[in-house]
Amino acid sequence: MLRMARQQPPPWVHAAVLLCLLCLSGAIEIPMDLSQPPTITKQSVKDHIVDPRDNILIECEAKGNPAPSFHWTRNSRYFNIAKDPRVSMRRRSGTLVIDFRSGGRPEEYEGEYQCFARNKYGTALSNRIRLQVSKSPLWPKENLDPVVVQEGAPLTLQCNPPPGLPSPVIFWMSSSMEPITQDKRVSQGHNGDLYFSNVMLQDMQTDYSCNARFHFTHTIQQKNAFTLKVLTNNPYNDSSLRNHPDMYSARGVAERTPSFMYPQGTASSQMVLRGMDLLLECIASGVPTPDIAWYKKGGDLPSDKAKFENFNKALRITNVSEEDSGEYFCLASNKMGSTRHTISVRVKAAPYWLDEPKNLILAPGEDGRLVCRANGNPKPTVQWMINGEPLQSAPPNPNREVAGDTIIFRDTQISSRAVYQCNTSNEHGYLLANAFVSVLDVPPRMLSPRNQLIRVILYNRTRLDCPFFGSPIPTLRWFKNGQGSNLDGGNYHVYENGSLEIKMIRKEDQGIYTCVATNILGKAENQVRLEVKDPTRIFRMPEDQVVKRGTTVQLECRVKHDPSLKLTVSWLKDDEPLYIGNRMKKEDDSLTIFGVAERDQGSYTCVASTELDQDLAKAYLTVLGRPDRPRDLELTDLAERSVRLTWIPGDDNNSPITDYVVQFEEDQFQPGVWHDHSKFPGSVNSAVLQLSPYVNYQFRVIAINEVGSSHPSLPSERYRTSGAPPESNPADVKGEGTRKNNMEITWTPMNATSAFGPNLRYIVKWRRRETRESWNNVTVWGSRYVVGQTPVYVPYEIRVQAENDFGKGPEPDTVIGYSGEDLPSAPRRFRVRQPNLETINLEWDHPEHPNGILIGYTLKYVAFNGTKLGKQIVENFSPNQTKFTMQRADPVSRYRFTLSARTQVGSGEAVTEESPAPPNEAYTNNQADIATQGWFIGLMCAIALLVLILLIVCFIKRSRGGKYPVREKKDVPLGPEDPKEEDGSFDYSDEDNKPLQGSQTSLDGTIKQQESDDSLVDYGEGGEGQFNEDGSFIGQYTVKKDKEETEGNESSEATSPVNAIYSLA
């Protein structure tokens, strides 16, 4: 939504230098250098009330040529200032100063004063000024007896303040200076009295003192306090009955139809003066407290001027006029009936001007008239005076004729100069006006500076003023750029006072304008140069914005203006100058507000101004905030199990309230802790709350909108419900063992709203399930009970019943609980099957004795091959799983499986099984057993040694037959890299580390020789034997051979078998 306001300045902003408002209104001012009678320019108000602590000042100032002299009358008698040392008159002024610094009583100077300003051309008079000294008399001391009144009866406590000047402001408080709470039942009347429509017992809780605050002295006087003694049929002041719908009948107070306490009777009348405020008041008694409504007979109340006050007990109509007279009536009603009081209103009027006399300037021989016309109720009379004296006592003047409210002058001569006074009055007041008659012979003269430069804004309405004077009054004509034609008509208009209005300025209106004033004595002229400037315009205006508190907002304001004029951009907030604090940044074309707060909400006006004109653009910034707290919580419709809560919503701070949360607090179980009671839509402010027995409630309300939650309201008064037996039992009843030989029974304790009575306790019952045992029971005040010496994990029937001093709750439901758990026995019938070389299937049955709730199974297994063990693997299964299939890592290894069941206590007894041996594993085992025997190892070593010796002998014998290269069954040809002797022979290289031809690769990637004489001892006893991560065996045959080779290299050459054979040869 965009809402912008562009405001053009009023015409006087553009042309203030051009206009003479007095001339435009027809008033004629004589230049001060010309002779003229006195004119009063300043005077005190008619009813002048002064502070007795200050000096008294009575103002009277006047102008004239020659300068006037002043004198005063007091109570219509000449006041000789020179005789009183305390009284002086200001220099060049008629203002009286009465000084009390040296003593004296201000009251001695009270009276009616009038100022006279006189020169040789006449005398002007001020109003009759009534001087009064402010008074704040002390309250008379009095002893007030307690006021005894029956509950439900009406009561008026009279204030009767001492008469002050002006009248003091009355308010009621207790003697401890606490304000008296007022409502439609108890309120203060316009006369200051305190009215009780009906007295209640709680009215005794305080005393009542009338206070008067005096304006001038700024003092407060306190009357002795009234104390009330209320006679009642129900001496208990139960706060819960205060807002009960039948509060009066509940307290034994008889209900009564309304009757008026003020004004009394059925009719009264009231007079009010025109222009004043009319205040009508009706205060009624009755039980219940009556409501007041206002009506006007034969018409409607003036909605634009009427407003209701004091809880509808008063009707105020502002600025009364004659059409407000008539009959008004107030209607007081309650459920017992109604009554009315009629007030006849008469509107009178002090005199008011219809045509006020104005100064008359004539040339010798001219005619003229003075008119003094006023109205009032009753019709005012008109009295003419001349120079302060009754016109009847003045010397006769044949050129002057008095015709009621008009004086006619014919063929006026210089001798007719004087100041005339018109006094019109009735019983309600008077009006006094001065108007002089001046007879002058003066040629035209210009009163403004010559050759002025006037700058105006394009398309505006403009007036060029040419103030002048002359007698007879000259005629004035306007010309442009020296042209001979008079400017009048079309876009121009010349007023009677000579001002030239240009209705809409155009560029072609720029130029030089000449005004010429002419009378029979001559002429005078003046020139004005007019320049036309482009207007100042805001072409990008700030826009309405809705923002959340704490954000940043920017208001734009871009301006176009005449470059020859100086531009100033300023900002207003709520039509007042904006203070640019450290949270704001003002730039040429924008205003930025950082961290917007609630106080930043309002209208922002960009003011772009030059010395000639200005343009305004307004936008409204709405700040969304959390709502204000609800207030004035009231409890009504009180019942056994319900109450109506009503509240007054706080300000939503521009974000509609979406929800209300009602909270409660009770002072027994959790005092000071607030709980949510219920939630209601943001459109309601009254709700019926369902209550629980035996709770001392107090409530508060939280408002919620899109921004957040309000602060909680102030708490309501407390309301206690009566007790009853519990209607429910505790929830979440459980029976669980904490040890293997006990069972702990627990439940959620009931809160304050479900206790229903004092001494809430719990009857706990238990017995073993499916037995005919009698119930065990115990009474508990807490929320747990432990049953001891129970068998392991057996079911129990459990009941928990609530009980208070009013009785027991309903029969509780039976809950099944269990005593403590223990470790389970081993799983039954654990079976390991191997359907093929790739998989192993495991199956088992649940333990015979679970001893609790099974939470799962744990399976541990490890691969082994002979004495070699692999890494142990752990699997966890759910309590319902009784099968598992494992994928083997190799077909050679076997597996050992350990299975146990788990409860919350832990893992129980385990059962162990091994996987069956693979088909070729028997041979491998036998081979391994032989290879580990000592005799077998020795035999193999001897055979190996003999074979080696034979090979060496053969080699030697061949060597003796000549050296020649030998390469038997070698797949690789002899290369240049083969080591050779100088004669072409070579030594055999050690090929023990090379795999023999026809060998095959094992499953683990090692080389195994077919029909090898090597045993498996090298595999089984070496430290390097190990298993893969999948449990398969990794042989170290090749590594073993490398080790042997290394050891051979480290031995001495002399001890090697080869060297020994060479030595033998």
Side-chain angles (χ1 to χ4, degrees), residues 208-419:
Y208 302 86
S209 176
C210 183
N211 295 261
R213 182 174 67 245
F214 293 91
H215 172 70
F216 280 94
T217 59
H218 302 289
T219 58
I220 295 177
Q221 295 190 29
Q222 188 176 47
K223 185 176 182 176
N224 288 346
F226 292 96
T227 58
L228 299 186
K229 181 178 180 181
V230 180
L231 306 179
T232 179
N233 298 325
N234 187 348
Y236 299 102
N237 187 21
D238 189 348
S239 62
S240 65
L241 297 176
R242 184 173 301 177
N243 297 305
H244 195 281
D246 294 322
M247 173 182 64
Y248 296 100
S249 60
R251 296 197 53 80
V253 177
E255 296 179 333
R256 295 182 292 102
T257 57
S259 62
F260 285 103
M261 305 173 67
Y262 180 88
Q264 296 182 349
T266 59
S268 60
S269 63
Q270 193 165 331
M271 188 274 290
V272 62
L273 290 180
R274 178 183 182 272
M276 306 296 288
D277 286 358
L278 170 65
L279 183 66
L280 305 178
E281 193 172 32
C282 282
I283 301 176
S285 66
V287 178
T289 303
D291 294 311
I292 305 294
W294 290 91
Y295 305 92
K296 182 179 182 181
K297 187 175 181 180
D300 297 328
L301 296 176
S303 58
D304 56 332
K305 300 192 297 180
K307 61 179 181 178
F308 302 104
E309 299 176 354
N310 197 17
F311 309 99
N312 267 29
K313 299 177 185 180
L315 170 64
R316 182 182 297 273
I317 300 176
T318 58
N319 192 21
V320 171
S321 58
E322 285 80 358
E323 55 266 23
D324 294 320
S325 60
E327 289 189 355
Y328 296 77
F329 66 90
C330 55
L331 184 67
S333 59
N334 63 12
K335 68 178 183 177
M336 301 301 294
S338 63
T339 185
R340 62 190 290 174
H341 182 95
T342 302
I343 304 174
S344 179
V345 174
R346 294 172 295 116
V347 178
K348 299 292 186 178
Y352 56 92
W353 290 117
L354 298 178
D355 195 352
E356 184 178 2
K358 298 176 178 61
N359 294 335
L360 185 61
I361 301 173
L362 300 173
E366 283 190 311
D367 298 341
R369 64 177 58 199
L370 293 176
V371 179
C372 176
R373 190 170 293 120
N375 198 5
N377 187 5
K379 181 72 174 177
T381 59
V382 175
Q383 179 188 10
W384 284 100
M385 293 182 289
I386 180 171
N387 297 326
E389 299 294 334
L391 189 60
Q392 297 86 344
S393 60
N397 185 345
N399 297 20
R400 180 181 61 213
E401 177 185 352
V402 178
D405 55 11
T406 303
I407 300 179
I408 302 172
F409 298 92
R410 296 184 179 90
D411 192 19
T412 307
Q413 300 301 316
I414 293 179
S415 60
S416 299
R417 292 182 298 188
V419 181

Side-chain angles (χ1 to χ4, degrees), residues 674-694:
W674 291 89
H675 309 273
D676 287 349
H677 183 281
S678 47
K679 192 174 185 179
F680 300 99
S683 58
V684 304
N685 69 325
S686 181
V688 176
L689 308 180
Q690 299 303 317
L691 308 180
S692 298
Y694 201 70

Side-chain angles (χ1 to χ4, degrees), residues 702-947:
I702 298 174
I704 301 174
N705 66 8
E706 183 182 283
V707 181
S709 301
S710 71
H711 293 295
S713 68
L714 297 177
S716 69
E717 57 189 347
R718 287 197 177 272
Y719 175 64
R720 179 185 291 279
T721 53
S722 56
E727 294 183 357
S728 62
N729 290 307
D732 299 328
V733 177
K734 298 177 182 177
E736 297 175 343
T738 59
R739 296 181 180 178
K740 65 182 180 180
N741 61 349
N742 77 358
M743 178 179 64
E744 183 180 56
I745 303 174
T746 60
W747 57 91
T748 301
M750 299 168 66
N751 57 29
T753 58
S754 55
F756 285 19
N759 294 324
L760 178 65
R761 49 201 180 270
Y762 305 96
I763 302 173
V764 182
K765 297 181 180 181
W766 72 95
R767 70 179 180 186
R768 289 188 61 172
R769 188 181 183 187
E770 298 177 353
T771 65
R772 296 193 177 276
E773 295 179 3
S774 60
W775 289 92
N776 302 286
N777 68 82
V778 66
T779 301
V780 179
W781 271 262
S783 60
R784 62 186 292 271
Y785 180 74
V786 179
V787 179
Q789 304 302 319
T790 62
V792 174
Y793 199 67
V794 295
Y796 281 84
E797 294 179 337
I798 302 170
R799 295 178 179 176
V800 180
Q801 184 180 27
E803 181 183 27
N804 61 24
D805 288 354
F806 289 94
K808 296 180 180 180
E811 282 298 319
D813 296 332
T814 300
V815 176
I816 303 302
Y818 287 84
S819 57
E821 300 183 12
D822 201 357
L823 299 177
S825 61
R828 294 180 295 167
R829 293 190 287 278
F830 184 32
R831 303 175 295 282
V832 180
R833 295 185 177 90
Q834 183 171 309
N836 52 55
L837 292 178
E838 285 79 21
T839 60
I840 298 176
N841 295 332
L842 308 180
E843 295 184 7
W844 63 90
D845 293 340
H846 296 302
E848 182 178 1
H849 301 291
N851 293 334
I853 299 176
L854 290 180
I855 62 173
Y857 293 93
T858 300
L859 174 66
K860 301 177 182 178
Y861 60 93
V862 62
F864 68 93
N865 195 333
T867 59
K868 301 297 182 180
L869 297 177
K871 182 180 178 182
Q872 179 176 274
I873 298 176
V874 179
E875 299 277 0
N876 289 311
F877 306 119
S878 68
N880 296 325
Q881 185 171 345
T882 58
K883 293 180 181 180
F884 177 65
T885 299
M886 187 197 77
Q887 299 296 322
R888 293 174 61 96
D890 69 88
V892 177
S893 302
R894 295 180 62 191
Y895 291 86
R896 183 176 294 113
F897 300 94
T898 302
L899 180 67
S900 62
R902 301 193 314 274
T903 64
Q904 290 184 355
V905 179
S907 296
E909 182 182 352
V911 58
T912 302
E913 292 290 343
E914 293 183 354
S915 64
N920 61 346
E921 188 174 356
Y923 169 78
T924 304
N925 287 343
N926 292 335
Q927 205 175 33
D929 292 341
I930 296 173
T932 59
Q933 300 299 318
W935 64 266
F936 181 76
I937 297 173
L939 178 62
M940 293 296 104
C941 291
I943 294 171
L945 182 60
L946 289 175
V947 171

Side-chain angles (χ1 to χ4, degrees), residues 15-157:
V17 297
L18 312 179
L19 300 181
C20 173
L21 296 180
L22 291 176
C23 293
L24 290 177
S25 62
I28 299 177
E29 293 288 331
I30 300 177
M32 287 304 300
D33 61 334
L34 297 178
S35 300
Q36 57 185 290
T39 300
I40 300 291
T41 58
K42 188 176 183 180
Q43 57 184 320
S44 295
V45 296
K46 293 179 181 178
D47 290 312
H48 188 33
I49 301 175
V50 296
D51 191 335
R53 299 169 298 180
D54 299 333
N55 293 336
I56 295 176
L57 205 68
I58 310 176
E59 290 184 311
C60 178
E61 295 182 8
K63 67 177 182 177
N65 188 7
S69 61
F70 298 89
H71 73 271
W72 288 82
T73 61
R74 178 186 175 195
N75 298 328
S76 301
R77 299 180 61 183
Y78 176 72
F79 183 41
N80 193 342
I81 297 173
K83 290 185 177 181
D84 193 329
R86 296 192 186 92
V87 182
S88 61
M89 190 181 301
R90 286 182 176 174
R91 187 180 180 188
R92 297 180 181 176
S93 167
T95 298
L96 288 182
V97 180
I98 306 176
D99 192 343
F100 297 100
R101 286 178 295 182
S102 58
R105 296 179 64 251
E107 291 79 5
E108 296 177 356
Y109 291 88
E110 289 184 326
E112 187 178 79
Y113 291 78
Q114 191 167 26
C115 174
F116 293 75
R118 174 177 297 167
N119 67 11
K120 65 179 181 178
Y121 300 116
T123 302
L125 277 64
S126 72
N127 289 322
R128 297 188 297 274
I129 302 170
R130 184 184 178 193
L131 178 67
Q132 294 176 285
V133 178
S134 172
K135 298 177 177 61
S136 53
L138 296 177
W139 222 305
K141 295 295 183 182
E142 53 185 341
N143 295 321
L144 300 176
D145 295 329
V147 178
V148 181
V149 62
Q150 183 70 37
E151 186 175 17
L155 174 65
T156 302
L157 298 180

